[in-house]
Amino acid sequence: MVVENFEIGIIGAGDMGMLYAQRFQQAGYVVNLCDTPERHTELQSKHKDLGLNILRDGYAVSRRSDLIIYSVPAVVINSAVEKYGRATKVGAIVAGQTSVKTPEVQAFLEHLPDDTHIVTCHSMHGPNISTRGQPLAIIRVRSSDEHYERAVHALEALESRMIFLTYEEHDRITADTQAATHLSFISLGTAWSLQGYHPWLNPQFISGINNVKVAMALRIYASKWHVYAGLAIMNPLAKRQISCYVESMTTLYKWMVAGNRQEFRTLIHDAADFVFGRDRSHKKIMLDDDVLQQLSLSQVPDEMSRPNSHLSLLSAAVCWYKMRMSPYDNLVCQTPPFRMWLGIVEYLFCDHEMLEQSIETALEDRYTQAEDLVFYTAVTGWGQCIELGSFDGYRERFEKTAEFLRPKLEQGKDLSTMILKKLTNGEAQASMNK
């Protein structure tokens, strides 16, 4: 049942804004939607059959809506609220959909009228996945009990799994789950671009967990750059984890090429014991072998496969170990990329034979060390870009790599969706059998 006499406004008609608009409209709400004024006519023509009120700008949306959701990039949230916040309907509830809540909340507190109620949110997934059953962070900042309950009731239309947090807790968890995850996947893409050949033609990325690496990297590059830039650059906690990931990879790579075998092995096994337990009993994702083998974009015959050091995965476990952080503690707010990332790290570290092959390949295989040099360069380059806070640099690097990978972006996105669905269905079946 919808909240009576309650209109929902969405400022920003990008992918997530449209996902929200359609979900609320289907639930029976009056939905007021806008983007920038110059897109007004385009949106009216494009979405005329969706039953939405397409308004000219954020002023029009803010004046008549009872719940206003800013669905704009994190980098422009302050300017958007500064511009339209003054038109907020008296007593309305305001929320945002950015992935970094500290600057969003600061913008709300600074620019919104005192009679505004602030109950913000964040769907922990992208626009290509249904909101149904996915984690939805609900954050009460400033509101009466009545308005808070109305906001929660309205957001129930998304049919998501609600998680109630403070904005500080949200930013810590998103930093822990997304910062190094995104860095690794976007760096893989950049490394392939720098070498000038696609991963589906690379004999090191033929099967198994390599399929997940390729599919998830392509999934990210099929999205918009600002989705990842905002989290990485505007969340100071994310920078801390990114720095640790870069440092962990630097240590491992130096020991690889220097031949420091014992130091390398000791660090890997210490990290494995900390994250997965000495008996490797901490497994929770448990990727299915058949799924990993069946879903692939590779055009290289299996017999031409070459071993892979999985340096990106080794560095993740070492990073968690150095930060004394268990990745399983954050599964409550998991995103699809993080779930797959943790899943393939778990898969590697909990298979003794595969981990041993990974270590030996890293220490002995000169071909792999040369390949990993390019990946290491990509990681440090992205790390420096993020540390400098360069949105322009981030966008240029991201879009250049996306253009290189464009021939398979849609296929990669579809493949990653299939992997996620099979994983979800498998877990649901396992839960039913308990």
Side-chain angles (χ1 to χ4, degrees):
M1 181 181 293
V2 301
V3 181
E4 293 185 2
N5 301 315
F6 193 83
E7 297 189 13
I8 296 177
I10 298 175
I11 297 175
D15 294 337
M16 285 302 294
M18 288 306 304
L19 176 65
Y20 266 41
Q22 292 178 78
R23 289 291 291 168
F24 285 124
Q25 192 277 332
Q26 291 163 4
Y29 284 101
V30 173
V31 177
N32 307 310
L33 175 70
C34 77
D35 204 89
T36 55
E38 54 269 23
R39 291 196 64 205
H40 181 231
T41 302
E42 172 198 342
L43 291 177
Q44 283 187 316
S45 174
K46 185 176 181 181
H47 303 305
K48 60 183 179 181
D49 298 324
L50 295 182
L52 306 172
N53 291 334
I54 308 293
L55 304 181
R56 179 170 178 77
D57 54 30
Y59 294 116
V61 169
S62 296
R63 289 183 62 188
R64 63 175 290 177
S65 303
D66 300 287
L67 169 61
I68 303 154
I69 301 174
Y70 283 81
S71 186
V72 300
V75 67
V76 301
I77 185 66
N78 186 71
S79 59
V81 179
E82 182 179 20
K83 184 174 183 179
Y84 298 127
R86 70 192 73 175
T88 303
K89 181 179 178 180
V90 174
I93 305 163
V94 176
Q97 239 290 72
T98 68
S99 58
V100 189
K101 290 305 175 190
T102 299
E104 177 185 288
V105 169
Q106 290 172 345
F108 287 159
L109 293 174
E110 181 177 356
H111 301 302
L112 292 176
D114 291 339
D115 57 36
T116 301
H117 301 266
I118 306 171
V119 183
T120 194
C121 62
H122 180 207
S123 288
M124 310 290 284
H125 59 89
N128 298 308
I129 294 179
S130 170
T131 59
R132 187 175 292 112
Q134 294 298 323
L136 171 67
I138 306 290
I139 300 164
R140 182 177 184 174
V141 180
R142 182 185 74 195
S143 72
S144 68
D145 291 344
E146 178 186 358
H147 284 81
Y148 177 64
E149 291 171 5
R150 295 179 80 189
V152 172
H153 189 170
L155 290 168
E156 286 175 348
L158 299 174
E159 299 183 84
S160 297
R161 177 168 51 85
M162 292 185 173
I163 303 159
F164 300 92
L165 304 168
T166 66
Y167 71 88
E168 296 94 342
E169 288 171 335
H170 170 277
D171 284 357
R172 177 186 60 78
I173 292 173
T174 53
D176 288 347
T177 58
Q178 299 181 42
T181 304
H182 296 164
L183 175 65
S184 180
F185 284 132
I186 62 175
S187 296
L188 283 169
T190 297
W192 299 327
S193 175
L194 288 172
Q195 294 180 93
Y197 59 79
H198 297 101
W200 48 90
L201 300 176
N202 187 330
Q204 286 192 310
F205 291 89
I206 289 181
S207 60
I209 57 178
N210 292 306
N211 293 336
V212 178
K213 293 182 192 175
V214 173
M216 295 308 295
L218 293 175
R219 182 185 189 88
I220 286 176
Y221 277 108
S223 302
K224 293 183 171 64
W225 68 274
H226 64 75
V227 173
Y228 306 99
L231 168 71
I233 294 175
M234 298 181 71
N235 188 338
L237 298 176
K239 288 187 177 182
R240 174 171 168 262
Q241 187 177 109
I242 287 170
S243 176
C244 184
Y245 184 81
V246 174
E247 290 173 6
S248 299
M249 177 169 292
T250 299
T251 298
L252 290 175
Y253 189 73
K254 287 174 67 175
W255 286 349
M256 284 167 57
V257 297
N260 292 16
R261 297 179 58 87
Q262 191 55 50
E263 292 92 335
F264 188 93
R265 282 184 169 277
T266 298
L267 181 56
I268 295 300
H269 286 293
D270 285 348
D273 291 346
F274 172 79
V275 177
F276 304 105
R278 288 185 178 276
D279 59 355
R280 306 299 185 260
S281 62
H282 295 181
K283 297 167 63 176
K284 292 186 179 180
I285 308 299
M286 294 182 287
L287 295 179
D288 185 88
D289 291 314
D290 292 336
V291 173
L292 292 176
Q293 292 301 127
Q294 291 172 10
L295 303 177
S296 175
L297 294 175
S298 178
Q299 299 174 11
V300 181
D302 288 347
E303 60 269 19
M304 294 181 63
S305 174
R306 296 189 66 109
N308 194 314
S309 70
H310 301 296
L311 179 60
S312 60
L313 309 186
L314 300 179
S315 300
V318 170
C319 175
W320 294 328
Y321 168 61
K322 287 187 173 183
M323 296 185 72
R324 314 307 292 176
M325 184 192 87
S326 170
Y328 294 109
D329 291 344
N330 297 313
L331 284 179
V332 66
C333 282
Q334 63 185 289
T335 61
F338 176 70
R339 186 166 192 76
M340 297 309 300
W341 181 241
L342 176 55
I344 58 178
V345 176
E346 175 189 274
Y347 190 94
L348 171 64
F349 274 82
C350 294
D351 184 322
H352 174 77
E353 183 178 343
M354 180 179 290
L355 181 61
E356 182 60 26
Q357 183 187 57
S358 171
I359 292 172
E360 282 300 309
T361 300
L363 293 170
E364 300 294 340
D365 192 307
R366 297 302 182 192
Y367 176 89
T368 296
Q369 290 176 359
E371 293 285 301
D372 284 343
L373 172 61
V374 184
F375 177 62
Y376 168 71
T377 302
V379 170
T380 55
W382 275 108
Q384 290 172 342
C385 176
I386 292 166
E387 183 63 31
L388 292 171
S390 174
F391 282 98
D392 289 340
Y394 195 105
R395 179 175 187 171
E396 183 176 346
R397 291 172 65 92
F398 189 97
E399 291 183 343
K400 183 177 181 180
T401 301
E403 185 59 35
F404 174 77
L405 297 171
R406 191 162 305 285
K408 294 282 187 179
L409 286 184
E410 289 304 313
Q411 284 182 264
K413 185 169 67 175
D414 293 343
L415 178 63
S416 64
T417 299
M418 290 174 62
I419 294 173
L420 289 166
K421 285 182 177 178
K422 285 182 177 289
L423 175 62
T424 301
N425 293 339
E427 289 173 340
Q429 186 62 46
S431 178
M432 292 174 59
N433 293 336
K434 286 185 179 179

